[in-house]
Amino acid sequence: MASPFIVRQPQLPDLILEPSNSDPNARSYIGGISTTIYFVNDLPSGSIGKIYQIDYHGDRILWGDSRNLPKSGYFEVTAYTYQPWEVVFSHQGETVTKIYYPAIVPACVMLNTAVFPIWRLGGVLPSSDPSPRSHQERTARPTVITFENHLQIKVEIRWLGYNGERHHYASILPGLSSRQDTYVGHVWEVVTADYEKEPIVLFYAAPHEGIAEINNNFLSVSGQTSG
């Protein structure tokens, strides 16, 4: 029987439960204080969070599935402090399992992609790809790149279209970052604020969320300076 969902209301508690790494030996114990957990769906379309109750023998019993919730909807669960819950997250072909231990006061479990590791993307020198352009997969897979500017100068972020045409998307001041939604197979280039200069580095969108660190290593190779 599918678990009922409730549309998110403003009275949800402010306390957010922090996840613990999966523990195959985790199990419930008799006793504990009665409390409430709200499993709030903040997952993007196509991602899944399966919620399991861990019983006294350590067996996982499927309790709920984020696909039965609308965006920002939630499951309200009566729980006990000695009874842990497990959530198996699936996102862009990766799976992560986390355990949540109830607090003595009502709290939320945010079902989102923050539990997945964020990888650092390797930059590619423009000289190694003389004709860079984005490629569109048969099934477009969304992903995210966060561009971090570790230089002392402003940089510009441009997306390279399917024919290699350039589209300006962001300007990033020193020490700041810009989060960019994109798709696997897309190519992004970084240039200094002077558009007449050549790009200093290319980044290729990967199936997982990634950080594109823009630093002096790329300037030194390209012959540009941050001063």
Side-chain angles (χ1 to χ4, degrees), residues 111-212:
L111 304 177
N112 57 32
T113 58
V115 297
F116 288 86
I118 299 177
W119 305 90
R120 292 199 174 273
L121 300 177
V124 176
L125 295 177
S127 57
S128 24
D129 190 351
S131 301
R133 61 187 180 88
S134 292
H135 298 274
Q136 188 170 22
E137 295 187 332
R138 183 174 301 176
T139 302
R141 288 186 291 168
T143 186
V144 175
I145 298 179
T146 298
F147 295 94
E148 295 181 349
N149 184 7
H150 293 264
L151 302 176
Q152 299 302 312
I153 56 175
K154 182 173 73 172
V155 296
E156 309 288 340
I157 306 300
R158 301 191 296 200
W159 174 64
L160 302 183
Y162 302 117
N163 296 313
E165 69 277 13
R166 289 169 166 81
H167 303 271
H168 176 266
Y169 267 78
S171 299
I172 310 176
L173 294 173
L176 299 183
S177 63
S178 177
R179 179 181 171 90
Q180 183 60 56
D181 293 321
T182 184
Y183 291 90
V184 176
H186 283 196
V187 183
W188 297 80
E189 70 175 13
V190 180
V191 298
T192 55
D194 182 354
Y195 283 117
E196 295 182 357
K197 292 184 178 179
E198 294 297 318
I200 59 174
V201 63
L202 304 173
F203 289 101
Y204 295 78
H208 47 73
E209 184 172 344
I211 293 177

Side-chain angles (χ1 to χ4, degrees), residues 3-227:
S3 302
F5 67 78
I6 304 174
V7 176
R8 185 173 185 178
Q9 300 294 331
Q11 72 269 18
L12 284 178
D14 294 329
L15 179 63
I16 306 297
L17 293 181
E18 291 296 324
S20 300
N21 290 330
S22 178
D23 179 2
N25 297 316
R27 62 187 180 93
S28 292
Y29 293 89
I30 296 175
I33 299 172
S34 177
T35 184
T36 305
I37 300 177
Y38 299 86
F39 291 93
V40 184
N41 182 28
D42 194 31
L43 288 165
S45 177
S47 299
I48 303 170
K50 291 186 177 182
I51 303 164
Y52 294 85
Q53 186 177 23
I54 304 178
D55 69 11
Y56 301 108
H57 303 287
D59 295 329
R60 272 64 171 168
I61 302 169
L62 181 63
W63 188 92
D65 190 314
S66 64
R67 290 172 292 186
N68 294 325
L69 288 171
K71 185 73 169 180
S72 297
Y74 64 82
F75 294 123
E76 180 178 348
V77 181
T78 298
Y80 291 87
T81 52
Y82 294 167
Q83 297 177 0
W85 293 74
E86 186 172 81
V87 181
V88 179
F89 297 89
S90 299
H91 174 65
Q92 296 180 353
E94 296 184 66
T95 299
V96 168
T97 301
K98 295 293 183 180
I99 291 181
Y100 297 85
Y101 294 90
I104 60 174
V105 296
C108 292
V109 168
M110 302 305 298
L111 304 177
N112 57 32
T113 58
V115 297
F116 288 86
I118 299 177
W119 305 90
R120 292 199 174 273
L121 300 177
V124 176
L125 295 177
S127 57
S128 24
D129 190 351
S131 301
R133 61 187 180 88
S134 292
H135 298 274
Q136 188 170 22
E137 295 187 332
R138 183 174 301 176
T139 302
R141 288 186 291 168
T143 186
V144 175
I145 298 179
T146 298
F147 295 94
E148 295 181 349
N149 184 7
H150 293 264
L151 302 176
Q152 299 302 312
I153 56 175
K154 182 173 73 172
V155 296
E156 309 288 340
I157 306 300
R158 301 191 296 200
W159 174 64
L160 302 183
Y162 302 117
N163 296 313
E165 69 277 13
R166 289 169 166 81
H167 303 271
H168 176 266
Y169 267 78
S171 299
I172 310 176
L173 294 173
L176 299 183
S177 63
S178 177
R179 179 181 171 90
Q180 183 60 56
D181 293 321
T182 184
Y183 291 90
V184 176
H186 283 196
V187 183
W188 297 80
E189 70 175 13
V190 180
V191 298
T192 55
D194 182 354
Y195 283 117
E196 295 182 357
K197 292 184 178 179
E198 294 297 318
I200 59 174
V201 63
L202 304 173
F203 289 101
Y204 295 78
H208 47 73
E209 184 172 344
I211 293 177
E213 184 178 306
I214 306 161
N215 55 44
N216 278 311
N217 293 335
F218 302 117
L219 281 181
S220 60
V221 174
S222 66
Q224 302 181 34
T225 63
S226 59

